[in-house]
Amino acid sequence: MLYWLMKYVLLGPFLRLLWPTRVTGIENIPAEGGAILASNHLAVADSFFMPNRVPRRVTFPAKQEYFTEPGVKGKLKKWFFTGAGQFPIDRSGGTAAQAAIDTAVRLLREGHLLGIYPEGTRSPDGRLYKGKTGVARIALEARVPVIPVAMVGTEKVNPIGSKMWWPRRLEIHFGEPLDFSRYEGLAGDRFVERSITDEIMYALMELSGQEYVDIYAAKAKELIAAEKAGLRPAVPAQAEARDVARLPESKAG
């Protein structure tokens, strides 16, 4: 109930009025059944603007910290995210990450739309970064299509580090569904999952027009922080098995 109240009464009309948005490819979202909306991630605002334009309800994984913060503020956050249909993920790895993947697969098999940011966190500079393979594993286990979603301009609405939202014209492009049924039964094969993830990221690059960088966004943030501190950046390391198997962080990265 809270989700639809926010979308059509409390928040949605306000977003549509102040941020006119050009939307293309909305017909690519199935009218029913499970599907993954795999989006680039430029700003916290992505998680508000994209669901507001999708006729169906979109469920996002959210950082576990949103549900465990102490005090009155923490209770309000937990109430908001739980009521809006978000589910917590533990990003510490191991069995916790697998539990999050299992939850995502269950929701998709129940017919939900699942929003995921394959990059795992917001882009630090507007470029598109290497995707984490959790999205591929979820798609294979749930046997659902992946719809690439390109957010354009949200980093100017809500720049990193800013608490203000600035009026801007936006674009949201929904690409054609990607079918990975040819890999059925190969969930857990890290080479197959990497291939699928790279295909998703290529579709996002074409749809968004972003420059692609073949390192993880989290590593890029470390390099940027090191440069600002006057330190010599370390050479970006390739992904380890424990990294690529993790569920991509969603919601506000």
Side-chain angles (χ1 to χ4, degrees):
M1 179 63 71
L2 177 60
Y3 182 91
W4 301 112
L5 186 64
M6 293 286 288
K7 183 170 183 175
Y8 291 114
V9 179
L10 300 178
L11 184 60
F14 177 72
L15 294 178
R16 289 172 180 262
L17 177 65
L18 292 186
W19 289 277
T21 304
R22 175 173 172 252
V23 180
T24 65
I26 197 72
E27 69 278 3
N28 290 321
I29 299 176
E32 58 184 18
I36 294 173
L37 300 179
S39 176
N40 61 337
H41 196 15
L42 299 171
V44 173
D46 296 333
S47 300
F48 294 89
F49 287 114
M50 188 262 277
N52 192 44
R53 296 291 177 161
V54 177
R56 296 176 57 189
R57 177 174 179 160
V58 182
T59 298
F60 280 97
K63 293 188 293 188
Q64 182 171 271
E65 291 85 345
Y66 290 147
F67 298 83
T68 58
E69 185 177 327
V72 175
K73 183 179 179 181
K75 290 181 179 180
L76 287 174
K77 279 188 176 182
K78 181 178 180 180
W79 170 81
F80 175 82
F81 288 116
T82 301
Q86 315 309 313
F87 68 94
I89 58 170
D90 185 336
R91 298 174 295 160
S92 59
T95 57
Q98 184 58 50
I101 289 177
D102 292 342
T103 300
V105 170
R106 175 180 58 80
L107 289 170
L108 287 165
R109 287 175 176 171
E110 291 173 356
H112 292 265
L113 282 181
L114 188 69
I116 290 180
Y117 299 121
E119 291 170 275
T121 186
R122 286 170 287 166
S123 170
D125 55 14
R127 295 186 293 178
L128 185 70
Y129 285 86
K130 187 175 183 177
K132 295 188 176 182
T133 60
V135 63
R137 180 169 300 185
I138 292 169
L140 288 176
E141 291 190 6
R143 300 180 183 178
V144 296
V146 177
I147 301 164
V149 183
M151 307 295 296
V152 180
T154 51
E155 78 281 10
K156 297 177 182 177
V157 170
N158 176 214
I160 290 179
S162 172
K163 295 183 179 180
M164 295 292 295
W165 285 27
W166 308 97
R168 292 288 189 279
R169 288 189 175 274
L170 305 175
E171 296 180 14
I172 304 177
H173 305 292
F174 297 91
E176 294 185 2
L178 302 175
D179 178 13
F180 298 109
S181 58
R182 63 189 182 277
Y183 296 115
E184 184 175 335
L186 295 178
D189 185 314
R190 64 190 182 95
F191 296 106
V192 169
E193 291 176 355
R194 172 46 56 195
S195 177
I196 290 173
T197 304
D198 289 345
E199 185 174 337
I200 293 170
M201 301 313 293
Y202 184 81
L204 285 176
M205 180 185 70
E206 288 198 316
L207 202 59
S208 68
Q210 290 171 278
E211 177 186 349
Y212 178 75
V213 184
D214 195 31
I215 62 172
Y216 292 118
K219 171 58 69 174
K221 288 182 178 180
E222 291 178 10
L223 296 176
I224 291 172
E227 288 179 354
K228 287 182 177 179
L231 303 175
R232 182 183 296 275
V235 176
Q238 294 300 313
E240 299 177 5
R242 59 181 174 82
D243 294 322
V244 299
R246 290 175 56 193
L247 174 70
E249 174 193 341
S250 191
K251 201 60 187 171

